[in-house]
Amino acid sequence: MSRKPIIAGNWKMNLCQNEAKSLFEGISAFVSNYKATELPTVVIAPVFTSINQVHSIPCDCGCNGYKLSVAGQNCHWEASGAYTGEISVEMLKDAGCSYVIIGHSERRQYFSETDEMINKKAKAILAGGLIPIICCGESLEQREAGVTDSWIAGQIRKALEGISSDDVAKSVIAYEPIWAIGTGKSCDAEEANRVIKMIRSVVAECAGQASADSIRILYGGSVKPSTIEEQMSKSDIDGALIGGASLKADSFNEIIEKTMKISSSCCC
Ligand code: PGA
């Protein structure tokens, strides 16, 4: 089963408009040198106020997809209304986004997001024609207590509840062990692959084997140019969600470049 890799940059709460613009220029210049068949799907997620400084780059094969896509870092599940500080799927779509990151551990931890909220967001994103990047992952305490697999399986079952098999197949999951995020200490690639295989088996249980074979599951947590090749050599790791190393064009482009060898389809 060949799944097109995704390299996604999560810029988090960084970069004002002029900084976002120059980072985007560095990435888009690099991506523009290659055909979509050579590239992984590249996704960047700026802060909302900098989305107007970046744009998606259409695929060059004549399809309707993109070789570089823009993502929101969060959304609300309601279409509009009295939700101060929130943003809807339609608004992200209107601004040019085609992906939305949801359930990031920072949102779960600092903004009390629950699995139920993440499930509502995933449904709203898919109903709006966008693709959710659903994050999951265990804390160091959970890993040490030996509950990693059961914890993550629970997060995935709840996130996917009531979502059709077709919609699950086009979604993206990012496995991000919390202890590996921003620490410089990446999860061992073999172990990340084991957890991702386990996630794929939970997806099969929720939505069938065909969806489990199609869904792209990324690894995230201190991914760097020096770690990506080993991570991408594993059977079930379909790409990476990258924080720190996505904030410099050089390191992000190097990660894209090292992923290119294994990319062989267009954007679709
Ligand atoms: P990091 O962040 O690459 O800086 O560890 C990853 C993430 O939080 O998505």
Side-chain angles (χ1 to χ4, degrees):
M1 178 80 212
S2 97
R3 293 176 290 264
K4 172 111 171 151
I6 297 180
I7 295 297
N10 173 11
W11 294 357
K12 307 193 181 184
M13 197 173 76
N14 293 296
L15 311 179
C16 287
Q17 297 201 32
N18 57 344
E19 299 163 314
K21 184 170 187 277
S22 67
L23 176 56
F24 176 72
E25 282 167 359
I27 297 167
S28 61
F30 177 82
V31 165
S32 300
N33 286 331
Y34 300 97
K35 295 201 183 77
T37 46
E38 299 172 295
L39 291 163
T41 299
V42 179
V43 179
I44 52 170
V47 295
F48 299 137
T49 50
S50 291
I51 290 177
N52 63 351
Q53 299 297 326
V54 308
H55 60 81
S56 48
I57 302 178
C59 183
D60 37 41
C61 77
C63 73
N64 289 324
Y66 304 104
K67 54 183 182 178
L68 183 149
S69 298
V70 182
Q73 293 182 17
N74 181 32
C75 69
H76 197 276
W77 56 87
E78 293 292 348
S80 63
Y83 302 101
T84 302
E86 293 292 327
I87 192 160
S88 75
V89 173
E90 192 58 35
M91 290 161 190
L92 289 173
K93 194 173 173 179
D94 185 46
C97 294
S98 42
Y99 290 79
V100 190
I101 298 170
I102 52 170
H104 192 282
S105 62
E106 287 150 16
R107 297 223 46 96
R108 293 180 190 256
Q109 189 181 346
Y110 306 133
F111 304 100
S112 309
E113 290 203 359
T114 63
D115 289 322
E116 192 197 357
M117 290 157 79
I118 291 153
N119 176 247
K120 286 191 200 168
K121 291 179 187 207
K123 286 176 175 161
I125 293 163
L126 287 157
L130 277 67
I131 299 173
I133 300 177
I134 305 165
C135 302
C136 62
E138 82 287 0
S139 65
L140 188 58
E141 295 70 37
Q142 287 166 325
R143 175 157 285 268
E144 284 172 354
V147 298
T148 296
D149 291 15
S150 58
W151 173 256
I152 293 169
Q155 287 184 318
I156 297 301
R157 283 192 194 101
K158 288 179 212 143
L160 300 182
E161 208 171 279
I163 298 180
S164 74
S165 297
D166 282 354
D167 277 349
V168 170
K170 54 175 108 116
S171 299
V172 176
I173 292 174
Y175 167 54
E176 299 204 304
I178 298 169
W179 48 270
I181 296 176
T183 58
K185 194 170 163 273
S186 212
C187 179
D188 173 70
E190 198 56 58
E191 170 61 7
N193 194 52
R194 186 196 68 76
V195 175
I196 287 177
K197 268 191 184 170
M198 183 280 298
I199 293 172
R200 209 176 289 287
S201 72
V202 174
V203 174
E205 184 196 292
C206 299
Q209 192 59 47
S211 301
D213 287 340
S214 298
I215 193 170
R216 288 177 289 177
I217 310 183
L218 318 180
Y219 166 75
S222 297
V223 173
K224 299 181 273 296
S226 59
T227 65
I228 191 69
E229 281 167 304
E230 193 190 359
Q231 285 151 346
M232 290 308 299
S233 72
K234 301 295 174 199
S235 61
D236 281 66
I237 302 183
D238 301 325
L241 181 56
I242 303 147
S246 74
L247 293 172
K248 293 262 168 2
D250 284 356
S251 50
F252 193 61
N253 291 345
E254 192 178 341
I255 291 171
I256 296 171
E257 192 171 28
K258 288 183 165 161
T259 312
M260 281 173 51
K261 294 171 203 150
I262 43 164
S263 184
S264 61
S265 58
C266 85
C267 60
C268 318

